[in-house]
Structure formats: structure tokens, C-alpha cells
Amino acid sequence: MLSNYFFNALNITNNDDLLAFSKKTNIPVSKLKMYNDERIFPFNHDLKVILKELNITELELKLRLGIIDTSTIEDIIKNSSNISKIIESSGKKNSKEKTLVEPIYTTKLGKLYQDDCLSVIENIPKNSVDLIFADPPFNLNKVYESNINDKLTKEEYLLWTEKWVLGCINILKEGGSLFIWNLPIWNTYISSILNKYLNFRHWISVDVKYQLPIPNKLYPSHYSLLYYSKGKKPNTYNNQRIPLEICRHCGGDIKDYGGYKDKLNSHGLNLTDVWHDISPVRHSKYKTRESNELSVKLMERIISMASNEGDVVFDPFGGSGTTYIVSELLKRRWIGAEIGPIDSIIKRFEDIDFHRDQIKEIQAKKNVLFTEEMNKIRRKNGHWLPETLEMNKKNKSNKLTNK
Ligand SMILES: C[S@@+](CC[C@H](N)C(=O)[O-])C[C@H]1O[C@@H](n2cnc3c(N)ncnc32)[C@H](O)[C@@H]1O
């Protein structure tokens, strides 16, 4: 069974076995379940008694659980010829036939498949995609229109995740970029897959509160956005700048820039790896379906930053199609997959002018130090503006030359 690595390793196949093992080792059932469900290697005294009960070494238990430390990797490398023969002869080769899939909806630039992303990925040529963005289900037991099972065991979710992640790595071009949006916990596992094949660029924290505070834990307040490239440097990195943060009411500075004001770039501040300016999609006018829709601003930023016009963008988890709409409007070619209903995606394309205006508005508010509205309120309330700093500088130097 896939979902019970730990119990399988302990030869526990049913509840009676579990109770018996617990009794023999004195490890409570709840703790054995924790090791199994959380996929954690047993520790301290528990480890000692488990090894004794199974009469195996720590290394064998690790191998039974699929845990390979770096020191073991060295031995595997040394014995790779023999080990690969053993694995290959065990007959577990991937001989699955490729199923051809046809797009269900096309636009000037894009192709949308109503299918499992794993089949769609198989049909995309290797080394052909410039940018991949993925926002998979988070396994939080949510109800999706597609009726997918969003309550897999940890083991099942991670196995499935590894499949589509490896597929995405295969189709990414050299120099292409990959972004994965998920809860921090899942992205720690996804990072450990990606670190083997791609180059880490950033763990971007997107400051969004998405659940209530949890007792005895920190208040979860960010989504993780992983950013990797295939090869040392991405082919495309278009710097994105954001406006200064100001007081919503009076337009005044929030931070004290002191004597550095005139050194600020007139195109805005450098984007950091903590994004505070992405709001969840809540307003019904902007929200096209019940849940999970990402903000157009987030996708505009990622696609503008990591691709150019004409590039190919792939998103394996369509949802309501935010990636596809933004790609189309930014003149990127795109490939999409959604296993469930796709009417909300098509509806968005029918109303593409609404999103065109949204993008225009988003773009007017980036790569500037102050947006037009900010300029207005700052001028009205007498706060400094780049031109006033420029004037002050000129006046100062005139005074000095007149002396
Ligand atoms: C979190 S939502 C994506 C939301 C999307 N980023 C947006 O802005 O609307 C995940 C989507 O993936 C779809 N999905 C789940 N498993 C899939 C699979 N194996 N292949 C394709 N789509 C899948 C679900 O039906 C769901 O619509």
C-alpha cells in the first residue's frame, strides 16, 4: 500500500497488528500513527525498540522507508551498477503508453486541455516551455467542481506531487523558470525534489492571511511561491518595481527615508522576496468562481518578470484560468490543463476586455515611485515628490554658486 510506508516497513497490515506492535514495543498507537501519517523517521527510544523488534539495522529501516541520507548516497554512487541492475530487474519500469490528448478550447495564443495534467504534460515536447506556474490543490479537503480527492494521505499527495513536478521539469526549456504556489509545508517537500534538478532562485513569501490563528503555533500568514530556473540563470528576468508605501489617509511616508530620498529610483522600489501587496480575490466583481482563484496582479507580476512576448507559458492546474487570461493579454503563448469543468475559464475569455482594463490598471501602478493617485494626495498635503527634491537640489546649488 502506498499510503502506509511506515506500517509496511513494520509489517503492520491491520489494526490488530498495530495494537500488537504497540503492546510489544510500548510505543503508543497514536505515536506509531504519527510516524506513519507524518512520514517521520522514529526517534530516540522508539527507534531502538523498533530496530530490536524487527531485528534490522537503522540503515535497513531507512531504506524500507525510502529515506536516503547524503552519506548513504555516496555508497549508492559507489555501487550504482549493481543497485541499478537490482532495481531494473525488479520489473517496475515505466511502460505506460502515452495517451494523445486534444485541446478543448483554443484562442489566438493558447490551447486548453480538459484533462489530467499528467497526460497533458506527456504530450508537451521536452525542453519546450519557457515558464511554468503551478497552483495545485493543497490537500485541505476542499470541495472542487472537478470532484478530485483533496484529502489524500500525505504519502499519496507527495507521490502525486512528485509525478507532476518531474513532468514539469522535463518540459521546461534550458533557462526556463518554474514557479510553484503552495502552503509552506508542501513547498518544503517540493523544494527537495526541485533542488535535485533545478537552480533555486527564491522562496517568495506572499503575505496573505488564509486561516484563523492556531493555538500554540505562529499565525500562518504567508503562501510560499517557489521560484527555480533550469540552469544557472533564467533566460528572462525583467525587473519589476513597486511604488513606495504611503499612508492611505494622508499620503505621507510610512518609512523614514531621511537623506536617501533623492537616491530612490524614479521607477520605484526593488521588489523583495516578501510580497505584501497581493490581496486575495474577494470582491464578487473580480471573483469568477467560488474558491481558489488567484489574483490577476500576482500572475501579471510573475509572467512579466519571467517571460517575454511570444514565450510559452504552461499552467497544469487551470482552475478559473487566471494564468491563461493574463498570458493571452500579455501576448504569451500558453498551454493549460484543467481536469474539471472549464466553463469559468471560457467565460473569462468571453469577458477578456474586463481583464484587459484590470491589467492596464495594474501596469499603471508598477515601475513608478508614486502612482498618479499617490502623486495627487501627496501634492495636496505637501509631501515631497521627486520633482520637489529635484527643485530643492537645484536651489541649493544655485545658492552655493551665488555665494
Ligand atoms: C487551486 S486550483 C487553481 C486555481 C487557479 N490558479 C486560478 O487562479 O483559478 C487547482 C485546480 O486544479 C485542478 N486539478 C486538480 N487535479 C488536477 C489534475 N490532475 N490535472 C488538471 N487539473 C487538476 C482542480 O480541479 C482545480 O481547479
Side-chain angles (χ1 to χ4, degrees):
M1 249 200 304
L2 287 178
S3 50
N4 287 322
Y5 267 35
F6 183 71
F7 288 160
N8 290 348
L10 269 48
N11 306 320
I12 293 174
T13 53
N14 54 41
N15 229 15
D16 291 344
D17 291 348
L18 179 60
L19 290 175
F21 195 90
S22 163
K23 209 168 165 194
K24 267 192 248 166
T25 55
N26 250 335
I27 305 172
V29 166
S30 60
K31 205 158 176 210
L32 289 169
K33 278 190 175 159
M34 186 274 287
Y35 288 132
N36 186 67
D37 298 348
E38 298 301 322
R39 214 184 176 214
I40 285 172
F41 195 67
F43 42 77
N44 301 352
H45 186 67
D46 297 349
L47 176 61
K48 225 164 124 185
V49 287
I50 288 172
L51 295 180
K52 194 164 168 226
E53 178 60 32
L54 297 176
N55 193 21
I56 59 172
T57 62
E58 185 171 330
L59 176 64
E60 184 172 346
L61 183 61
K62 281 191 179 169
L63 291 178
R64 282 190 187 189
L65 292 169
I67 295 174
I68 303 177
D69 297 328
T70 313
S71 55
T72 314
I73 290 179
E74 281 183 15
D75 293 323
I76 293 179
I77 292 171
K78 271 189 226 142
N79 297 294
S80 53
S81 170
N82 287 337
I83 295 173
S84 61
K85 274 183 205 131
I86 296 171
I87 295 173
E88 276 157 7
S89 67
S90 79
K92 261 198 157 183
K93 267 180 261 157
N94 192 2
S95 57
K96 215 181 128 229
E97 288 249 326
K98 180 167 145 179
T99 37
L100 278 178
V101 291
E102 291 294 330
I104 187 157
Y105 180 75
T106 56
T107 65
K108 211 165 77 191
L109 297 171
K111 284 187 187 137
L112 175 64
Y113 296 84
Q114 188 173 28
D115 222 309
D116 188 327
C117 64
L118 291 175
S119 313
V120 176
I121 289 169
E122 267 183 39
N123 281 266
I124 300 175
K126 288 196 169 69
N127 197 19
S128 67
V129 177
D130 298 278
L131 165 64
I132 298 177
F133 171 84
D135 167 22
F138 299 160
N139 207 30
L140 288 176
N141 197 17
K142 274 199 177 172
V143 178
Y144 283 89
E145 286 173 273
S146 50
N147 284 330
I148 55 146
N149 179 357
D150 195 40
K151 198 176 184 254
L152 301 171
T153 63
K154 191 170 184 175
E155 208 62 64
E156 286 167 335
Y157 183 72
L158 292 175
L159 256 163
W160 171 73
T161 299
E162 189 181 67
K163 277 192 197 150
W164 66 258
V165 169
L166 291 178
C168 285
I169 292 171
N170 263 332
I171 59 173
L172 193 65
K173 259 188 201 168
E174 182 163 354
S177 299
L178 171 66
F179 289 80
I180 297 180
W181 174 267
N182 212 324
L183 301 175
I185 171 78
W186 294 133
N187 268 354
T188 61
Y189 292 97
I190 296 178
S191 274
S192 73
I193 307 169
L194 296 176
N195 287 339
K196 290 183 227 156
Y197 301 98
L198 302 180
N199 285 71
F200 173 82
R201 282 180 65 74
H202 295 286
W203 172 295
I204 300 165
S205 297
V206 182
D207 173 10
V208 181
K209 297 206 174 27
Y210 49 85
Q211 62 180 61
L212 295 170
I214 307 168
N216 303 320
K217 280 189 103 175
L218 300 177
Y219 187 175
S221 297
H222 81 277
Y223 282 102
S224 152
L225 177 63
L226 292 177
Y227 175 12
Y228 280 74
S229 66
K230 199 174 201 173
K232 202 151 180 108
K233 268 172 95 185
N235 292 336
T236 304
Y237 179 72
N238 301 318
N239 213 7
Q240 304 290 299
R241 290 182 169 274
I242 54 168
L244 213 82
E245 239 190 301
I246 60 165
C247 164
R248 268 195 302 151
H249 306 289
C250 73
D253 294 351
I254 287 182
K255 281 192 190 148
D256 179 11
Y257 294 95
Y260 292 99
K261 283 189 209 98
D262 55 352
K263 309 243 167 9
L264 292 173
N265 190 310
S266 61
H267 295 296
L269 302 180
N270 273 320
L271 195 58
T272 72
D273 55 9
V274 183
W275 296 358
H276 293 287
D277 58 342
I278 304 292
S279 331
V281 184
R282 284 220 179 92
H283 196 291
S284 60
K285 190 177 169 205
Y286 291 86
K287 205 167 161 83
T288 54
R289 56 182 220 162
E290 277 314 298
S291 58
N292 302 314
E293 182 177 321
L294 288 181
S295 97
V296 168
K297 182 173 177 177
L298 174 77
M299 291 320 302
E300 194 280 336
R301 179 171 293 169
I302 295 168
I303 294 171
S304 302
M305 181 162 73
S307 69
N308 290 318
E309 285 187 11
D311 280 355
V312 177
V313 178
F314 173 59
D315 182 338
F317 303 103
S320 63
T322 318
T323 308
Y324 315 144
I325 275 285
V326 176
S327 297
E328 183 91 11
L329 288 166
L330 297 182
K331 301 193 173 67
R332 272 62 167 173
R333 289 175 289 156
W334 59 270
I335 305 170
E338 169 54 54
I339 205 165
I342 52 151
D343 10 319
S344 52
I345 303 181
I346 296 177
K347 202 160 150 252
R348 276 180 108 171
F349 273 95
E350 283 164 359
D351 196 14
I352 197 160
D353 285 339
F354 166 73
H355 293 293
R356 198 186 308 281
D357 292 343
Q358 241 184 317
I359 295 262
K360 242 194 228 161
E361 207 179 300
I362 290 164
Q363 292 190 327
K365 290 181 179 164
K366 69 176 195 180
N367 298 327
V368 289
L369 197 53
F370 298 118
T371 64
E372 266 182 39
E373 290 145 40
M374 287 160 93
N375 267 329
K376 250 189 234 161
I377 184 166
R378 285 182 74 86
R379 193 165 291 125
K380 186 174 143 217
N381 292 336
H383 298 299
W384 66 270
L385 287 164
E387 57 262 33
T388 51
L389 289 179
E390 204 47 46
M391 243 160 43
N392 289 350
K393 250 202 281 179
K394 265 192 201 146
N395 289 344
K396 239 191 213 165
S397 71
N398 282 347
K399 264 190 203 159
L400 283 175
T401 41
N402 290 342
K403 268 187 187 168

